[in-house]
Amino acid sequence: MNFERIDRETWARKDYFNHYFKSVPCTYSVCVKLDITRVRESKQRFYPVMLYAITRIVNRHPEFRTTFDVDGNLGIYDSMLPCYTVFHKETEQFSNLWTAWTDDFAAFCRAYEDDLAAYGQAPGMAPKPGLPENNFPVSMIPWISFEGFNLNIQTGYDYLLPIFTMGKFYCENGRWLLPFSIQVHHAVCDGF
């Protein structure tokens, strides 16, 4: 995990960052109906496939990897890994797990399955130790479908990384659709 510090004085995004971080601090969220028909038809396990796809996209775009490090420096991680929720039916609570990133789909899915086997039934908020700094959150609310979703984070104007939330998928006109929400900070993401 490498973290490349941004020189704010020479950064091409300097004026935009300052405007949306200081003058008009704001985050925004977008919810789409993601067509997951191919994923459903593949018969592969849904959650690890989606975690892989989301993480792959996050790692393609520096805007999704831009954040502050533990010392408050603004910079960009060279890669990110997903920190995702696992629901415990018996307690009606969830745990956050994480899986190390690899671009190799089969290796990532095996690592996910290993993490789930080792920590998936463990109680507590974060049963897998050692969460690296270069993580971003993904959650799933599989019991409800939604057309809009927004998180209200108390210190949200300092949180720059994207947050992804998936809902209950459903069939419409022969296509499987997934409510998919992404929340980002406007200081680092302009919506393109």
Side-chain angles (χ1 to χ4, degrees):
M1 155 188 64
N2 292 320
F3 184 78
E4 183 180 336
R5 289 177 60 176
I6 292 172
D7 180 350
R8 290 195 204 189
E9 292 306 311
T10 61
W11 190 27
R13 189 162 182 80
K14 173 186 173 183
D15 292 340
Y16 301 93
F17 182 84
N18 289 338
H19 180 74
Y20 290 115
F21 193 77
K22 294 178 182 175
S23 300
V24 184
C26 63
T27 65
Y28 65 92
S29 60
V30 176
C31 186
V32 298
K33 296 176 183 177
L34 193 62
D35 186 337
I36 58 163
T37 305
R38 287 180 43 201
V39 175
R40 294 271 300 158
E41 291 173 348
S42 75
K43 305 294 185 197
Q44 295 177 351
R45 194 158 177 195
F46 180 75
Y47 206 31
V49 170
M50 291 304 297
L51 290 172
Y52 176 85
I54 293 167
T55 308
R56 188 170 172 143
I57 295 298
V58 165
N59 282 318
R60 283 185 189 165
H61 299 282
E63 296 82 6
F64 289 155
R65 296 179 278 119
T66 303
T67 190
F68 295 106
D69 67 9
V70 294
D71 297 322
N73 299 304
L74 182 65
I76 303 172
Y77 282 109
D78 62 343
S79 70
M80 301 292 290
L81 58 89
C83 180
Y84 50 91
T85 56
V86 176
F87 186 69
H88 305 290
K89 290 179 184 175
E90 58 285 345
T91 63
E92 297 181 344
Q93 294 179 329
F94 68 91
S95 294
N96 283 320
L97 297 183
W98 59 276
T99 296
W101 172 245
T102 174
D103 199 38
D104 181 311
F105 175 72
F108 177 82
C109 289
R110 279 192 305 275
Y112 166 86
E113 294 297 342
D114 291 347
D115 288 334
L116 194 61
Y119 304 103
Q121 298 304 314
M125 184 76 169
K128 182 179 178 183
L131 177 64
E133 290 176 36
N134 61 325
N135 76 85
F136 67 94
V138 180
S139 61
M140 179 112 189
I141 309 171
W143 48 85
I144 63 166
S145 189
F146 52 79
E147 298 215 359
F149 187 88
N150 190 49
L151 292 169
N152 300 300
I153 304 170
Q154 182 181 6
T155 59
Y157 297 122
D158 293 337
Y159 189 84
L160 301 179
L161 294 173
I163 301 171
F164 299 92
T165 306
M166 295 177 277
K168 181 179 181 179
F169 50 79
Y170 58 93
C171 191
E172 181 177 281
N173 300 323
R175 306 301 293 172
W176 286 96
L177 302 177
L178 173 75
F180 184 75
S181 172
I182 175 175
Q183 185 162 320
V184 295
H185 199 299
H186 207 342
V188 295
C189 291
D190 290 326
F192 69 91

